[in-house]
Amino acid sequence: MSKYDDASWHYGGDFPEELSENSGATHTGMFLNWCINKGLISEALKEDATEEIEMTRRREMTGAEFVMECMDGKFSEYDLNDMGNAFAQDYYKDETDFGNRFSSFADDYVNLFDMKAEENDYEYETFYHIEDTYENYDLMKQVIDHRFEEWKEYKGLN
């Protein structure tokens, strides 16, 4: 089974000391939160984390908290249904044909929050300093929604 991301890949390396390990899952959590709300998660994940999925939907738990608490920081094909995996294969993974033609999740994430920081006259120290908030998720959600529509057109699913 292919792993899309693992928080330990982030906090296990050159990671800011002052941040919690959850900061290594903020970006993954935003994508997974979007997948939860779009109904793109696997039946197995639904069975394993029913209560936490509902907490995420009610905004009582962030996506990063969900990834760390329910998925041990790991995000893989196991966590998504067929449609979710097809989208993640093209958008979440780096260096795909779709990502090269349109954009990848990582590029969209960095560009969005760089633009937000610039508009507010500040700069994120690192990728990991982007706050795990629902305000930020709502911004990223709009971008993912747009990419999902582009992806469906790209795949001829409309």
Side-chain angles (χ1 to χ4, degrees):
M1 183 143 310
S2 176
K3 195 185 307 184
Y4 295 116
D5 213 334
D6 188 326
S8 70
W9 296 344
H10 302 281
Y11 65 72
D14 188 19
F15 190 77
E17 290 177 16
E18 73 276 10
L19 297 178
S20 79
E21 290 181 352
N22 278 19
S23 296
T26 300
H27 61 291
T28 307
M30 287 189 192
F31 186 78
L32 186 71
N33 195 340
W34 181 87
C35 290
I36 288 170
N37 286 297
K38 284 291 189 183
L40 299 176
I41 58 173
S42 68
E43 289 301 316
L45 185 58
K46 287 177 190 176
E47 290 172 16
D48 292 345
T50 305
E51 184 179 329
E52 293 87 349
I53 288 167
E54 288 309 312
M55 289 174 66
T56 304
R57 284 190 174 127
R58 291 189 308 262
R59 296 177 170 229
E60 296 168 0
M61 173 182 269
T62 67
E65 290 168 339
F66 184 91
V67 168
M68 296 302 284
E69 291 177 26
C70 300
M71 301 163 59
D72 197 28
K74 296 163 182 55
F75 173 43
S76 72
E77 291 176 0
Y78 168 84
D79 303 309
L80 301 176
N81 64 21
D82 290 344
M83 176 76 81
N85 274 308
F87 182 53
Q89 288 286 338
D90 286 337
Y91 180 57
Y92 194 86
K93 281 189 166 185
D94 293 328
E95 300 301 319
T96 66
D97 184 61
F98 176 80
N100 291 336
R101 287 185 189 195
F102 297 92
S103 187
S104 68
F105 174 77
D107 287 344
D108 280 343
Y109 184 84
V110 169
N111 291 337
L112 172 68
F113 292 109
D114 280 352
M115 188 181 340
K116 177 188 173 191
E118 191 175 305
E119 287 171 1
N120 292 291
D121 202 30
Y122 69 92
E123 188 175 319
Y124 286 105
E125 189 176 327
T126 70
F127 173 89
Y128 305 112
H129 283 82
I130 295 167
E131 301 88 355
D132 181 28
T133 65
Y134 268 98
E135 176 186 345
N136 282 343
Y137 167 74
D138 288 338
L139 292 173
M140 194 65 216
K141 176 190 176 304
Q142 294 174 50
V143 175
I144 304 171
D145 282 340
H146 176 74
R147 290 289 178 235
F148 188 61
E149 291 305 314
E150 286 180 329
W151 176 80
K152 288 191 302 186
E153 190 172 309
Y154 167 81
K155 289 292 205 181
L157 301 173
N158 285 343

